[in-house]
Structures are given as C-alpha cells and as structure tokens.
Amino acid sequence: MQCEICGAEIPGTPNRIVIDRSTLDVCKSCARFGKAEDKWTPVPRKVVPVERTFTARRPQSRDHFKDLVEIVPEYGRVIREAREKLGLTPDELASTIKEKAALIKKIERQELVPEDRVRKKLEKELNIKLTDQATEEKVKYRGGAKGLTLGDIADIKRK
Ligand SMILES: [Zn+2]
C-alpha cells in the first residue's frame, strides 16, 4: 500500500482522509493535509455519475421502426384497389372487419398507418399483402436454400 499523496510505502494501516470530497489512503505524515474520513458523508466514494444511468437506457423505438419498415409505401392504393375489385364500399369493408369506415378511409388516403391488428384483418379480407416485399422474402428464405426451385434461385440471382 502506497501513500496516495507522497507515494511512500505505508507500514500497516493507511490513514484514510478526505480532501476536497476525494477519499485518499495516505501515510501518517500526509494525513495532516486532509481531514479524517467522515463515515456519514452523503457522497459515497464510488458514486456512479447520474448521467450514466440515462445514457444506458435503450431507445424504445423498435416497434415503431418495425411498423414503418414493413408496410408497403403505397398501402393506401393497394387497399383501395383490392377493395374496389371486390366491389366493396369503404363502409362495407369497415363493417366486415368490424372497424370504423372513417378509419378505412384514412388508411386509404394514407393519413394513417394501420396498426398490426387492423392490417392483418385487411390483408385477410382483401387477400392482399401490405408488408414490404423484401421483408417477406427475407423471412421466406431464412434458414438456407432448402426447398428452393430453380425458378426461385433465378429470381434471387436477378436481384
Ligand atoms: Zn505520504
């Protein structure tokens, strides 16, 4: 154990003193530079800086990000065209999937991104895919080339 002030080897137990809120283990002759450690000091010796606990927090935007990436950019048009093909009005579609017509209209105008629950109902009812093509393929081909046909492979190569 060396004195943290003069560096001299301390025989036996060092003197713990406090100088300007820092706690130091020093030799007998340096002990006079500070005051003896106060056991009741409100500032612990190894306090973690408060800001560190904030920077360690993870951003919570993951789900939000997922939604933005997965839905096709022209989802409003896809929904409207599929609906018209089936000869449904927005109101009829809305009542079929038990949502408000205003919601369907907003989604078709792309004023609103449908939440997963609504999106899945629309996809099922209209027999469409509203998720990003690239994402779909990534999922489909995950886990290796097993089961791919030559046509599939040609498709991949073309990209
Ligand atoms: Zn010393």
Side-chain angles (χ1 to χ4, degrees):
M1 184 75 216
Q2 287 185 329
C3 169
E4 289 182 26
I5 291 181
C6 70
E9 195 66 29
I10 304 168
T13 314
N15 294 267
R16 181 155 291 181
I17 60 161
V18 177
I19 299 175
D20 197 19
R21 290 194 186 188
S22 302
T23 311
L24 300 171
D25 288 321
V26 299
C27 67
K28 268 202 180 72
S29 55
C30 291
R32 63 194 159 91
F33 291 122
K35 61 185 176 84
E37 186 187 38
D38 178 4
K39 298 286 181 217
W40 313 110
T41 174
V43 184
R45 193 179 181 203
K46 276 178 183 165
V47 66
V48 178
V50 175
E51 50 189 318
R52 187 176 292 176
T53 56
F54 284 106
T55 51
R57 286 181 62 131
R58 292 187 60 80
Q60 36 177 258
S61 59
R62 226 174 32 191
D63 288 340
H64 188 55
F65 180 70
K66 193 184 84 185
D67 279 351
L68 289 179
V69 168
E70 278 191 355
I71 195 130
V72 292
E74 70 281 22
Y75 64 91
R77 187 176 56 82
V78 174
I79 293 166
R80 199 192 66 237
E81 284 178 358
R83 174 177 59 72
E84 284 171 352
K85 219 191 284 179
L86 291 170
L88 294 169
T89 64
D91 300 73
E92 284 167 342
L93 175 61
S95 66
T96 309
I97 64 168
K98 294 185 175 65
E99 297 292 339
K100 291 202 175 76
L103 178 75
I104 303 295
K105 288 172 189 169
K106 265 190 182 168
I107 292 169
E108 289 191 358
R109 286 197 300 264
Q110 305 213 167
E111 290 170 18
L112 192 85
V113 176
E115 53 183 298
D116 272 7
R117 188 179 55 83
V118 176
R119 176 175 58 75
K120 281 174 186 152
K121 282 197 282 188
L122 286 168
E123 288 180 331
K124 195 164 167 253
E125 197 56 39
L126 299 171
N127 195 27
I128 52 173
K129 270 285 166 208
L130 294 174
T131 46
D132 196 291
Q133 211 61 30
T135 313
E136 287 292 308
E137 276 180 5
K138 235 184 277 164
V139 173
K140 215 192 295 173
Y141 294 135
R142 191 183 291 157
K146 229 184 283 173
L148 285 184
T149 66
L150 283 177
D152 288 334
I153 291 163
D155 267 356
I156 296 166
K157 278 182 181 164
R158 222 179 292 143
K159 275 164 198 160

